Amino acid sequence: GIQVEQSPPDLILQEGANSTLRCNFSDSVNNLQWFHQNPWGQLINLFYIPSGTKQNGRLSATTVATERYSLLYISSSQTTDSGVYFCAVRDRETSGSRLTFGEGTQLTVNP
Amino acid sequence: GAVVSQHPSWVICKSGTSVKIECRSLDFQATTMFWYRQFPKQSLMLMATSNEGSKATYEQGVEKDKFLINHASLTLSTLTVTSAHPEDSSFYICSAGAGGFGNSPLHFGNGTRLTVT
């Protein structure tokens, strides 16, 4: 099945700093989503971005489907940004199938 | 936007009992729903795909007789953990998509934290 690798696994920032999270995937995809899992376990859908660039406030994401990677940018980080960020993809060849998750990036933003 | 509701949000049960978790699509119909499990400090792993009106498809290593899935309507799927044991303690999350596969995002419930004592 498709492989999803996220980096870095852990990231510690001071409030106000910027960061870039990366997601590499091993095959063509027709769905890529970025999630933020908060301390209560809720998965917050940040972006649906199988290709191109999107922005939402301090967050933006870019997916280069031909090169099989996606980037999540967090600017002016806040303590509330802490949590785990997951990238998840759907394999283009198995349309109708599951989202496969990466291992996540644990982000800690210190005041 | 599309909303997936999951209930209960947490449950504590005794070893040997069964627990039912409900997953509802509130404002759309879902012929397929997905059940994931997440252990502490780990990622989400797909357990099974729930298909409306037919049998669920289980991932390798997931016991279908232990994790019973029923998808009786286009808006409701249930996961029943039968004869629960402490090792079944985990975070269970369901998801569903509102549009055609490949063209729309999946939406997730808030999860159910199961603790088996």
Side-chain angles (χ1 to χ4, degrees):
Chain A
I2 193 167
Q3 303 298 311
V4 184
E5 295 183 355
Q6 290 186 242
S7 61
D10 297 279
L11 185 59
I12 300 174
L13 301 174
Q14 285 300 122
E15 201 167 23
N18 303 327
S19 63
T20 301
L21 282 58
R22 187 177 180 100
C23 172
N24 293 333
F25 41 95
S26 61
D27 212 336
S28 299
V29 299
N30 58 17
N31 181 357
L32 187 146
Q33 293 179 244
W34 282 99
F35 297 92
H36 174 212
Q37 189 170 40
N38 64 24
W40 297 272
Q42 294 174 324
L43 275 179
I44 310 300
N45 190 9
L46 299 177
F47 293 103
Y48 166 69
I49 186 166
S51 64
T53 297
K54 290 185 178 180
Q55 181 157 6
N56 184 2
R58 296 182 296 105
L59 274 61
S60 64
T62 295
T63 297
V64 184
T66 54
E67 297 187 20
R68 300 180 184 173
Y69 73 88
S70 182
L71 302 173
L72 177 69
Y73 306 95
I74 304 175
S75 65
S76 303
S77 58
Q78 301 175 358
T79 56
T80 51
D81 294 332
S82 296
V84 183
Y85 289 80
F86 287 106
C87 166
V89 303
R90 178 186 289 133
D91 186 342
R92 179 179 293 276
E93 293 301 319
T94 56
S95 181
S97 186
R98 81 272 293 160
L99 277 182
T100 299
F101 281 75
E103 292 299 311
T105 293
Q106 174 75 57
L107 175 64
T108 303
V109 182
N110 293 321
Chain B
V3 176
V4 175
S5 175
Q6 191 171 338
H7 178 81
S9 55
W10 61 270
V11 58
I12 301 173
C13 71
K14 292 187 176 181
S15 186
T17 62
S18 296
V19 173
K20 179 184 285 187
I21 303 170
E22 292 187 348
C23 179
R24 296 180 183 273
S25 55
L26 295 187
D27 50 2
F28 65 98
Q29 294 182 331
T31 56
T32 302
M33 293 184 177
F34 302 94
W35 287 95
Y36 289 81
R37 179 169 54 183
Q38 185 182 31
F39 291 107
K41 305 288 187 185
Q42 295 186 22
S43 186
L44 282 76
M45 297 298 293
L46 182 70
M47 298 176 63
T49 302
S50 172
N51 304 299
E52 188 269 334
S54 64
K55 292 182 179 180
T57 304
Y58 291 82
E59 296 299 299
Q60 189 173 6
V62 178
E63 300 175 56
K64 62 180 181 181
D65 294 330
K66 180 169 190 59
F67 298 99
L68 300 180
I69 291 174
N70 184 283
H71 194 155
S73 77
L74 288 171
T75 59
L76 174 63
S77 175
T78 60
L79 169 68
T80 301
V81 183
T82 63
S83 187
H85 292 284
E87 57 265 31
D88 298 323
S89 298
S90 188
F91 192 58
Y92 295 86
I93 311 176
C94 69
S95 72
F101 289 118
N103 297 319
S104 62
L106 286 186
H107 303 277
F108 285 76
N110 285 337
T112 297
R113 196 166 302 280
L114 171 63
T115 302
V116 184
T117 61

